[in-house]
Amino acid sequence: MADEHHSGEESKKHPTSDSVASLKNDRLNFFSTYVELPNGVSYENQEDDEKILVFLRRHPVTNFPWIFIALFLYFLPFLVAPILPGLFETMGIFDVSVPGNYIFILSSFYFLIVTGYWLLCFISWFYNISMVTNNEVVDIDYTGVFHKSIATTNLREIQDVEYIQKGLLQTFFNYGDVFIQTAGSRPNLEFLRIPHPAKVSDIIMDEKRKVEEND
Amino acid sequence: MIDLFPLFETTSLDLGIKIFILFLIFLFMVFMFIALVNVRALNRLVLLESGRSSFIIQAIFAFYFLLIVSLFLLALAIL
């Protein structure tokens, strides 16, 4: 499958298209993945006059694998339990008995672990937030209990923005990765698997141009 | 017939298995406590829906953590 690969330089050829001016004020809800000019969102170190232009999370489609895994794990004991006696019989073991209190505690523990798994996956999606403001770009990554990173970069420090859409799912559901290249030693930012990557890269480049024109 | 009851009834083995299961649940409890603390930290970092979403997530996580604590106490009582 051919990659759709675009650079922010491309949008510079169309200076008349102002993607920021066309943004519509939207309301954020619990499962929002792409919200323009969101209400009720704020973050630490946000300036008083700073306005969030776009609020982003990973596309909902990216959650399907862990949802299916969690569902499978919930039903796994019910699938395995009926075939266990037959399995033991083929191994020459005809009766296995374990005290009921152990079975109760271990099975409860198993279901709590599975619940914890999907809860952590959901949290990981919920707090993987990217934001574009009229002053900077913010990327919050929460990829596990022991890993959390917050990266921000000023719009003036952005050198180039490009997005990649690859594969059938990304093309069909219109999501992809946006890569923001920054100047100097500052780390580059990545908005991974976000909805409308083309629009987001346009917004970043337009806002960057606006900031530079005002300087 | 393989009867695993004696395994659980033999004092030293029984104690070993009990301690092992309790240790696993305790370890998981600590892990989830760290996750809960992280969620609180993230809620301070970014406020969503003027705090409504953040509150819901934190409440779900706190409830889940209480379930693990209950299981630990139950295991302590009935094993």
Side-chain angles (χ1 to χ4, degrees):
Chain A
M1 187 73 60
D3 291 5
E4 203 179 327
H5 199 283
H6 299 268
S7 164
E9 295 299 322
E10 194 179 306
S11 59
K12 283 179 184 166
K13 292 169 194 163
H14 310 285
T16 49
S17 66
D18 191 354
S19 51
V20 178
S22 66
L23 293 179
K24 289 182 194 114
N25 197 292
D26 269 343
R27 193 172 164 73
L28 183 88
N29 66 50
F30 204 74
F31 298 102
S32 296
T33 54
Y34 176 92
V35 186
E36 296 173 353
L37 302 171
N39 292 325
V41 181
S42 60
Y43 66 96
E44 218 176 40
N45 303 329
Q46 186 178 354
E47 303 286 331
D48 290 337
D49 59 340
E50 198 171 350
K51 197 167 67 176
I52 297 170
L53 302 177
V54 194
F55 173 92
L56 300 152
R57 279 198 192 111
R58 286 202 319 257
H59 195 280
V61 169
T62 61
N63 290 326
F64 285 167
W66 66 258
I67 290 172
F68 285 126
I69 290 172
L71 282 175
F72 174 74
L73 290 175
Y74 271 126
F75 288 106
L76 188 66
F78 303 105
L79 299 172
V80 170
I83 60 166
L84 267 184
L87 196 73
F88 282 132
E89 271 178 37
T90 57
M91 290 161 69
I93 305 166
F94 295 98
D95 196 10
V96 178
S97 60
V98 176
N101 52 353
Y102 279 84
I103 292 175
F104 175 73
I105 291 295
L106 288 174
S107 54
S108 305
F109 187 41
Y110 172 80
F111 285 111
L112 272 181
I113 288 176
V114 178
T115 308
Y117 166 73
W118 74 252
L119 212 53
L120 286 176
C121 288
F122 179 77
I123 293 288
S124 161
W125 171 79
F126 192 81
Y127 285 110
N128 256 308
I129 295 168
S130 308
M131 283 179 283
V132 181
T133 75
N134 56 351
N135 191 36
E136 61 185 3
V137 174
V138 184
D139 187 23
I140 300 167
D141 283 331
Y142 180 71
T143 48
V145 176
F146 301 107
H147 183 264
K148 178 175 69 181
S149 76
I150 299 108
T152 57
T153 193
N154 199 293
L155 287 171
R156 291 173 189 84
E157 289 169 342
I158 293 172
Q159 284 194 325
D160 193 23
V161 181
E162 63 176 359
Y163 72 91
I164 298 174
Q165 274 185 296
K166 59 184 175 189
L168 182 72
L169 277 180
Q170 293 197 359
T171 311
F172 188 74
F173 291 104
N174 191 20
Y175 71 96
D177 306 333
V178 173
F179 298 97
I180 302 160
Q181 201 181 324
T182 57
S185 57
R186 290 193 70 84
N188 295 338
L189 299 186
E190 295 173 344
F191 294 175
L192 300 177
R193 290 171 283 170
I194 55 157
H196 313 295
K199 200 171 176 184
V200 171
S201 61
D202 269 357
I203 291 168
I204 296 170
M205 286 311 284
D206 284 350
E207 198 56 29
K208 173 189 157 59
R209 266 199 300 279
K210 250 188 213 172
V211 168
E212 284 172 347
E213 280 165 14
N214 290 340
D215 285 347
Chain B
M1 170 176 165
I2 293 182
D3 189 4
L4 294 180
F5 264 97
L7 187 73
F8 293 96
E9 281 161 2
T10 314
T11 322
S12 59
L13 263 176
D14 180 37
L15 195 68
I17 292 168
K18 271 180 197 171
I19 289 172
F20 180 66
I21 292 171
L22 286 171
F23 175 71
L24 279 183
I25 299 173
F26 182 75
L27 211 65
F28 191 61
M29 202 165 77
V30 172
F31 181 76
M32 280 301 163
F33 182 73
I34 296 168
L36 181 65
V37 171
N38 257 335
V39 167
R40 280 178 63 87
L42 284 162
N43 281 341
R44 275 196 295 272
L45 184 76
V46 59
L47 196 69
L48 305 169
E49 279 187 275
S50 308
R52 198 179 75 100
S53 297
S54 313
F55 175 76
I56 293 170
I57 284 285
Q58 211 163 299
I60 292 170
F61 233 90
F63 176 71
Y64 175 71
F65 181 70
L66 280 179
L67 280 181
I68 302 169
V69 174
S70 309
L71 181 76
F72 180 74
L73 294 175
L74 196 69
L76 212 58
I78 69 168
L79 288 186

